[in-house]
Amino acid sequence: MTITITTFTAKDRDDWLALWEAYLVFYKATLPPNVGHQTWERMIDPEGEIQGFKAVDANGVMVGMVTYLYHGTTWGPHPRCYLHDLYTLAETRGQGVGRALIEAVYEAAAADGSDQVYWLTQEFNYAGRMLYDKVAERTPFIKYAHKV
């Protein structure tokens, strides 16, 4: 599959929102609609903390998306890159779209002075984990969360 990875533009809003909503369904998550709209606005804001890339096929169809952000760490002088959201259309999985999006984040992070890219996934995401095992090292960390 021939794909092109680029940053988002304002005209990508509806296509990105469709992928965002499919991503939420995949993870069995329910969020108020304004969260997706706010995420989009923060991502396309040149001063925003969220960044992203889209994957477009040869026909110009958006087939995948990734979002990421940087944060400081007490474990070193360089910022870390958190790959936050990654989603590809089901019919394109296994064709290199996810890998290309991850590699685009790797390149951006290196160019921006980050020393690490990391992410989380759910246990049931077997297809994703098969890819992740090829492009990164699985760590032994367990996530804890508390809503405030």
Side-chain angles (χ1 to χ4, degrees), residues 7-13 16 37-48 50-52:
T7 56
F8 292 100
T9 65
K11 68 179 181 161
D12 295 320
R13 181 182 178 276
W16 180 85
H37 296 287
Q38 290 170 350
T39 299
W40 171 257
E41 293 301 323
R42 291 163 57 204
M43 187 172 55
I44 63 163
D45 178 353
E47 301 298 318
I50 299 173
Q51 299 181 49

Side-chain angles (χ1 to χ4, degrees), residues 77-94:
H78 303 287
R80 296 281 161 90
C81 179
Y82 178 54
L83 190 156
H84 202 277
D85 307 304
L86 174 66
Y87 184 76
T88 64
L89 293 177
E91 60 269 23
T92 66
R93 294 189 188 135

